[in-house]
Amino acid sequence: MAQFRLSGSLAKRMSALITGGILVAAALPGFAAPVELTLDEAIVMALKSNPAIKISESEMDKARWDVKIADSVRKAPAIDFTHNASRSKSAASVGVGYTTARESFLVPIPESLNNKYSNSVDLSFPLYTGGKLEGTVEKAKLGLKVSDLGVEKSQQQVKLDATTGYYSILQTRNLVKLSEESLDRLNAHLKNVEAQYSAGTVAKSDVLRSEVEKASAEQTLIKAKNSYELAVSGLNNVIGLSLDTELTLKEELNYAKYDKTLAECISAALANRPDLAQAATNLDIAKTEIKVAESGKKPTITATASEKWSDKDFPGTDNNTWSIGINASYNLFDAGLTKGQIKGAEAGRDKAAEQLRQARDSAQLEVRQAYLNMQEAEKRIETSNVAVTKAEEDYKISQVRYSAGVGTNLDVIDSQVALTSAKTDYVQALYDYNTSRAKLDKAMGITVE
């Protein structure tokens, strides 16, 4: 049989094409192909497709063009070309007078139509604006920095959304499994109770109570399955797939010890968080706005040049004239306009400074909450794990005692409920630990790779 081998680059391209085709097909209405995902793959898909990031990137593009617009005024002269075409009518008049030896008379002038065409090229270049142009350019560049940080902030939020969505599926999947196990145990116990009731060793009330517990477990399973479906739809929404896409997650909820102290986490947050950098940059923008406002108290100097043409015939390129010059202006009185702009800009600076301080306090609080919640969940993992072991042993003992006729039906049911509760607490603790750790990463401003 003939064998074919693809080159490495071609194989990678084909693999990417096939994977992309599956994901695109999964996003089509009415098509729900199963998709296997690791956590990292879910995060990558979310970063590529989530609209929040695309919105932030569009804002950054606009800010980049704002910089170019502001910079173009400072670096290049403004050149305007103007063409005027007019047609006018002169009314009839008495005209020119003539005098002879015997008499004098006036010759009337008839009405006439006149055409005029003119062209002009005007050039202006600001030589000095009191810092207004420079401040405008600086403000635009700082605005671009804020937008760039906004993209990073959106990426971190989307990563957190994808991570918590992934963990929600793992949690609800485990809860479905626990509900099924609980129902299986109750079914097995009900068969045992019915057998003993048939033998006349237990009362009818044991059968009825067991049937009630079974029905309750079925209700719990229905709710657990619904929660799982909602969690899948939630993650599909974050990563850009059709909401009914079936997901198969490759990972499990697990525990890995965190090795950073709270102080280290707070220091990292103050150094890395994009929203803090945004607040600091907004303060710089506010200071720049003061400089722009203060330029109203300073003179402006502009270099100008102009060349004109006019003629009665189109296109009007005769009668050439030109001029060059320097214009200087200084605002002697503006009824307090400049002073008001300066005071307003100073108030904006004070506001931005307080917003920066507020953002720092909020960041430290967010880190502390996530860290302490993670520690609490870590302790609950340890205690619930011990509780699961003891609950399993207690359930086995209660079964043996009931089968031997020395235990009660209530003992078995209570131990079964305790076992399910202990396992649920363990799953919940794992979920809380992992989601708190993800929130801590976001609170610290960990860069999204």
Side-chain angles (χ1 to χ4, degrees):
M1 180 181 295
Q3 293 183 346
F4 299 91
R5 178 174 297 177
L6 298 175
S7 65
S9 60
L10 180 58
K12 290 180 180 179
R13 288 196 297 269
M14 291 188 67
S15 175
L17 181 62
I18 294 172
T19 303
I22 293 175
L23 297 181
V24 170
L28 295 176
F31 188 92
V35 177
E36 292 188 354
L37 284 178
T38 64
L39 176 58
D40 289 340
E41 289 170 344
I43 292 173
V44 170
M45 291 178 65
L47 293 174
K48 288 182 178 180
S49 63
N50 197 278
I53 295 178
K54 296 183 183 297
I55 292 172
S56 298
E57 290 173 344
S58 297
E59 291 175 350
M60 187 175 68
D61 288 339
K62 181 183 180 301
R64 188 178 292 111
W65 282 108
D66 289 341
V67 172
K68 292 183 179 180
I69 292 171
D71 211 27
S72 64
V73 178
R74 183 183 63 171
K75 291 183 177 179
I79 302 175
D80 296 323
F81 171 76
T82 306
H83 172 77
N84 289 319
S86 64
R87 185 179 180 87
S88 61
K89 175 183 177 182
S90 357
S93 61
V94 176
V96 182
Y98 291 88
T99 304
T100 64
R102 294 184 177 182
E103 60 182 352
S104 63
F105 57 91
L106 296 174
V107 179
I109 299 176
E111 63 181 24
S112 63
L113 297 175
N114 301 305
N115 297 327
K116 183 178 180 181
Y117 302 92
S118 64
N119 299 279
S120 66
V121 177
D122 300 293
L123 179 147
S124 64
F125 183 75
L127 299 177
Y128 178 72
T129 61
K132 181 177 182 179
L133 287 181
E134 292 80 3
T136 303
V137 173
E138 183 181 357
K139 179 181 175 181
K141 290 181 178 179
L142 291 172
L144 176 59
K145 182 179 178 181
V146 170
S147 298
D148 186 31
L149 291 167
V151 174
E152 185 177 351
K153 181 180 177 181
S154 296
Q155 290 174 339
Q156 293 180 5
Q157 183 61 52
V158 168
K159 178 184 177 181
L160 176 61
D161 293 341
T163 302
T164 54
Y166 194 94
Y167 288 147
S168 293
I169 294 178
L170 294 179
Q171 178 202 27
T172 54
R173 186 178 70 182
N174 287 338
L175 293 179
V176 168
K177 182 179 178 181
L178 291 180
S179 298
E180 291 173 341
E181 290 177 355
S182 175
L183 184 58
D184 290 341
R185 286 194 296 268
L186 288 171
N187 278 325
H189 177 63
L190 178 59
K191 291 180 180 179
N192 184 24
V193 173
E194 290 175 338
Q196 294 197 48
Y197 174 71
S198 298
T201 58
V202 298
K204 180 65 174 179
S205 60
D206 285 3
V207 177
L208 295 176
R209 179 61 189 273
S210 299
E211 289 176 342
V212 170
E213 290 298 325
K214 174 189 173 183
S216 177
E218 289 173 342
Q219 295 289 324
T220 302
L221 177 59
I222 292 172
K223 293 179 180 179
K225 288 182 177 180
N226 183 64
S227 297
Y228 173 77
E229 293 297 332
L230 292 175
V232 171
S233 297
L235 181 59
N236 281 332
N237 183 57
V238 173
I239 64 180
L241 294 181
S242 175
L243 297 184
D244 59 352
T245 302
E246 181 182 347
L247 298 179
T248 302
L249 305 191
K250 300 178 181 179
E251 300 183 21
E252 293 287 345
L253 286 174
N254 53 39
Y255 166 71
K257 189 170 181 60
Y258 197 73
D259 57 357
K260 287 186 174 65
T261 65
L262 176 59
E264 290 173 337
C265 293
I266 292 176
S267 298
L270 296 177
N272 300 326
R273 280 181 64 126
D275 58 332
L276 296 187
Q278 280 183 318
T281 306
N282 285 330
L283 177 58
D284 293 336
I285 290 176
K287 293 177 181 178
T288 303
E289 289 176 343
I290 296 176
K291 296 179 183 178
V292 173
E294 288 176 340
S295 67
K297 299 190 300 183
K298 301 175 183 179
T300 59
I301 302 174
T302 306
T304 62
S306 177
E307 189 165 7
K308 303 180 184 297
W309 300 265
S310 63
D311 193 4
K312 65 179 181 178
D313 297 320
F314 183 80
T317 54
D318 290 338
N319 303 315
N320 172 251
T321 62
W322 59 268
S323 66
I324 59 174
I326 294 179
N327 295 333
S329 64
Y330 182 76
N331 184 13
L332 296 177
F333 179 73
D334 60 4
L337 175 62
T338 300
K339 181 179 179 181
Q341 291 173 338
I342 294 173
K343 292 297 183 181
E346 289 175 345
R349 175 202 58 196
D350 296 340
K351 175 184 175 181
E354 290 302 317
Q355 287 175 330
L356 174 59
R357 185 170 70 89
Q358 184 183 48
R360 287 178 178 272
D361 293 341
S362 298
Q364 294 183 58
L365 178 60
E366 185 179 346
V367 171
R368 182 176 292 273
Q369 288 175 335
Y371 191 90
L372 295 179
N373 287 337
M374 182 184 67
Q375 282 191 326
E376 179 217 354
E378 183 178 34
K379 294 175 182 177
R380 286 194 285 117
I381 290 174
E382 298 174 359
T383 56
S384 60
N385 190 27
V386 173
V388 168
T389 302
K390 294 183 178 180
E392 287 176 340
E393 183 179 358
D394 180 54
Y395 177 69
K396 292 177 182 178
I397 292 174
S398 65
Q399 278 186 311
V400 172
R401 286 173 56 83
Y402 184 76
S403 298
V406 295
T408 66
N409 182 50
L410 184 60
D411 292 337
V412 177
I413 292 175
D414 287 346
S415 62
Q416 196 285 138
V417 171
L419 175 58
T420 301
S421 177
K423 289 187 174 182
T424 300
D425 289 343
Y426 180 69
V427 171
Q428 185 65 46
L430 283 174
Y431 171 78
D432 291 342
Y433 178 80
N434 283 279
T435 53
S436 295
R437 184 165 177 170
K439 291 176 182 178
L440 180 59
D441 286 344
K442 192 262 182 184
M444 291 168 58
I446 300 299
T447 302
V448 178
E449 296 296 336

